[in-house]
Amino acid sequence: MHPVDVDRQTEVSAAVPGSGRVVDEAVLRDLRRTFRGELLRPGDPGYDASRRVWNATVDRCPALIARCTGTVDVLTALRFSRREGLAVSVRGGGHSVGGHAVLDGGVMIDLSPMKGIRVDPEARRAWVQPGCLWSEVDRETQQFGLATTGGMVSHTGVSGLTLGGGQGWLARKHGYSCDNLVAADVVTADGEFVVADADRNPDLFWGIRGGGGNFGIVTSFQLRLHEVGPLVLRGQLFYAPEEALRALEGFREFAAGAPDEMTCTASVWTAGEEAHLPERAHGRPVVMLGYVFVGDVEVGERVAAPLRQIAKPLTELAGPVPYTVLQAQDDESQRHGLRRFWKSQYLWDLPDAALETFLGRGAVSPGEPSLGGVRLLSLGGAIARVGEDDTAMSHRNAAFDVMVSSTWTDPTEADRHMGWARRFHGTMAPFSRGVYINNLGSEGEERVRAAYGQTKYERLVALKHRYDPDNVFRHNQNIRPSSTRLPG
């Protein structure tokens, strides 16, 4: 049995604009002489838009937002912040559920204006700046029939996803996003510029492949590309409760033997009035088995055939789609401006008891199943062929990632939605070990440790002490250095 994590996260209340440290005009005047991008203080046009992130529960107010146009701006903003004793956060796509990209009272180093992308189709490489979203990368690389692992929502940022690992539809075939990182330009905590790759600063290169933003600010990613698309196969099968257990049992067997090109998902939620579902399913629990095949579509159809014969679905949606359409299929449900909370964990197998718990959704009381849903994502393949110690990304032999998520708009509903997700997460905990760092909210040091395991976590602490002994980069899933000189 594993202990149930009970995090204490609540909705982040709105701060008073300008609360905390104020950057006065005289100091800002000096900064403007060397900073090429835009500098925003509370009350300036564009300030509120720049501080908003994907998760609407996050409402924090930096004293200054430094919208960088290039590496020199990043160096300038960081050196300024350290000289003035201001805390910093770093924003790329702003897509994390914890909203660590923005802080109260310090300097938010905003990389989102840095949108440059260069593709070399012959070398199968892309050079990507940290403000890019995956939709922007996919648009450039798919012109040449290429892609790299890039999440499952196209408005996710390249920077945060890659530094934290990078799950995606291509991961079982081509590895995580971080496995396709060839080199990176990095601004370190002491305000220096370095290159990290297999030969230059290899310890830093190891750490930024899964260790998040703890060791520096990456200003350019060199990514390995692969032949993908333009068409991939996507399928979804929907089942009523009476067929659900049989469908999940078949899913378990199918996923275990699926080729690397095939990624499988299973989810359960209470159906609304979705047009693709019959009316008798509305308001009832529904199980969906999904699959994506990123190889030859005709081969994928043959591979998927056994999954389609497991049980009788309510309905089925299947067929080839452009890779860019696949990447954007959940963009609307995952749009900006909604309040969000989720809990996640790895499953190393899927016993019958776990399937029954998955279907029970935490034995919720009547009326609560509509609060959210739960999703299983199959792992393995190329993910597991990278050595556990080769990168900071961990738990490579896990079989599934499970996520419990809830979304709402009314701030007064926060406790109800968060409570449901925590309870459901708790019922799955006996079957789990570890967690994907990019799926963590604000859950504390022990959960960060769980994302790496004790041995690797200690190695990351030592690396943090070397590159950031003062814990400058702490507004993230923080790995504290082994120094005693730590800020609060």
Side-chain angles (χ1 to χ4, degrees), residues 172 250-259 262 264-265 307 378-379 399-400:
R172 280 179 42 81
F251 165 85
R252 175 178 59 191
E253 181 178 354
F254 179 84
M262 180 74 79
C264 303
T265 62
L307 182 66
S378 65
L379 303 175
F400 297 95

Side-chain angles (χ1 to χ4, degrees), residues 173-435:
K173 177 63 176 176
H174 298 299
Y176 287 129
S177 302
C178 70
D179 299 331
N180 291 284
L181 181 63
V182 178
D185 296 345
V186 185
V187 171
T188 60
D190 57 3
E192 298 298 322
F193 172 85
V194 301
V195 175
D197 60 20
D199 300 314
R200 294 167 289 182
N201 302 295
D203 58 342
L204 179 60
F205 186 54
W206 177 86
I208 63 175
R209 287 177 293 161
N214 275 283
F215 309 107
I217 303 173
V218 175
T219 59
S220 179
F221 297 83
Q222 184 186 155
L223 299 169
R224 184 181 297 109
L225 302 177
H226 310 274
E227 289 188 6
V228 175
L231 295 178
V232 297
L233 181 65
R234 176 184 64 183
Q236 298 174 319
L237 302 117
F238 301 86
Y239 299 91
E242 53 269 24
E243 297 285 344
L245 184 57
R246 185 191 313 171
L248 285 172
E249 290 171 342
F251 165 85
R252 175 178 59 191
E253 181 178 354
F254 179 84
D260 292 355
E261 292 85 355
M262 180 74 79
T263 299
C264 303
T265 62
S267 55
V268 57
W269 77 101
T270 297
E273 296 183 2
E274 289 94 336
H276 57 269
L277 292 175
E279 186 175 348
R280 63 188 175 89
H282 296 169
R284 301 184 67 203
V286 170
V287 166
M288 188 273 284
L289 303 186
Y291 59 89
V292 168
F293 190 86
V294 296
D296 180 90
V297 169
E298 291 185 359
V299 173
E301 289 172 341
R302 292 195 295 271
V303 171
L307 182 66
R308 300 171 64 193
Q309 296 168 6
I310 290 168
K312 184 178 180 180
L314 290 164
T315 189
E316 176 182 2
L317 303 174
V321 296
Y323 176 71
T324 52
V325 170
L326 170 72
Q327 287 292 88
Q329 68 179 0
D330 292 327
D331 281 8
E332 173 57 24
S333 65
Q334 300 297 322
R335 66 188 181 275
H336 287 252
L338 300 177
R339 290 174 147 75
R340 301 181 183 278
F341 182 78
W342 67 45
K343 301 285 289 182
S344 180
Q345 52 204 314
Y346 284 126
L347 302 181
W348 296 72
D349 55 15
L350 202 54
D352 290 347
L355 292 181
E356 292 168 0
T357 301
F358 180 82
L359 285 174
R361 286 178 293 170
V364 293
S365 58
E368 285 190 318
S370 61
L371 291 179
V374 60
R375 179 222 64 186
L376 287 169
L377 173 70
S378 65
L379 303 175
I383 296 167
R385 287 195 290 274
V386 177
E388 181 65 26
D389 295 326
D390 289 353
T391 68
M393 184 65 190
S394 300
H395 304 302
R396 288 185 174 272
N397 290 314
F400 297 95
D401 180 77
V402 59
M403 178 185 288
V404 182
S405 61
S406 193
T407 302
W408 66 101
T409 57
D410 183 350
T412 65
E413 289 287 298
D415 288 345
R416 182 167 172 255
H417 283 265
M418 291 178 178
W420 171 82
R422 289 181 179 122
R423 288 193 301 276
F424 193 175
H425 171 82
T427 64
M428 295 296 294
F431 312 105
S432 74
R433 184 173 82 252
V435 62

Side-chain angles (χ1 to χ4, degrees), residues 119-121 139-146 225-228:
V119 177
D120 183 339
R139 178 180 181 274
E140 298 292 325
T141 60
Q142 278 289 279
Q143 289 294 315
F144 307 100
L146 302 171
L225 302 177
H226 310 274
E227 289 188 6
V228 175

Side-chain angles (χ1 to χ4, degrees), residues 441-458:
S442 299
E443 301 180 34
E445 182 179 345
E446 287 306 309
R447 288 284 279 165
V448 175
R449 287 176 180 268
Y452 299 107
Q454 186 60 32
T455 300
K456 187 174 286 188
Y457 184 80
E458 290 173 359

